[in-house]
């Protein structure tokens, strides 16, 4: 829902946009945790289920790149190099490195620590 990001996504051909199974996992875990935490509150439980459906619908529009054994090899190599960012972000980086893709993220501080990873922040206006 970020205005600048939304424009860039709309202006990028769909075949050039991807997400990862790691990203999907994070989102679904969050939704399911919310539902579980509020299972005895009918209003919040219903809100959680609505958000879960919204998340599934949103991700169904994307090509989802899986975290593969080859990506895991890269992930473990990066860990051995001492790259100290979150495991899920490092997994996303490994998928992007494996495919030669650019990671679009606001979290440049972490992702720029990964050697040879192309990173872009689409939430800032181009000069």
């Amino acid at each position: 829902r970020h205005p600048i990001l939304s424009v860039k996504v709309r202006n990028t051909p769909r075949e050039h946009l991807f997400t990862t199974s790691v990203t999907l996992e994070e989102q679904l875990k969050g939704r399911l945790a919310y539902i579980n935490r509020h299972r005895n509150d009918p209003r919040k439980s219903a809100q959680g289920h609505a958000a879960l459906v919204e998340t599934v619908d949103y991700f169904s529009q994307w090509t989802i790149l899986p975290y593969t054994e080859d990506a895991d090899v890269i992930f473990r190599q990066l860990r051995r190099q001492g790259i100290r960012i979150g495991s899920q972000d490092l997994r996303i980086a490994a998928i992007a490195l494996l495919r030669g893709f650019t990671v679009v993220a606001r979290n440049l501080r972490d992702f720029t620590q990964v050697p040879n990873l192309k990173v872009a922040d689409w939430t800032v206006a181009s000069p």
Side-chain angles (χ1 to χ4, degrees), residues 41-121:
D41 181 332
R43 184 180 57 80
K44 287 187 177 182
S45 179
Q47 289 172 342
H49 280 274
L52 177 65
V53 169
E54 184 179 300
T55 300
V56 170
D57 286 346
Y58 175 77
F59 278 94
S60 71
Q61 301 171 41
W62 291 85
T63 300
I64 301 171
L65 304 174
Y67 182 74
T68 62
E69 290 180 34
D70 290 338
D72 191 68
V73 168
I74 294 170
F75 168 80
R76 292 178 189 285
Q77 289 170 346
L78 293 169
R79 271 288 179 244
R80 282 193 296 275
Q81 291 175 29
I83 308 295
R84 295 290 167 224
I85 66 173
S87 293
Q88 296 296 69
D89 285 348
L90 200 57
R91 285 183 176 93
I92 292 167
I95 293 169
L97 286 168
L98 178 66
R99 294 179 176 257
F101 289 173
T102 300
V103 171
V104 174
R106 292 177 78 175
N107 183 5
L108 297 182
R109 183 175 45 95
D110 284 350
F111 282 111
T112 55
Q113 293 181 50
V114 180
N116 303 312
L117 181 65
K118 295 177 277 186
V119 184
D121 182 352

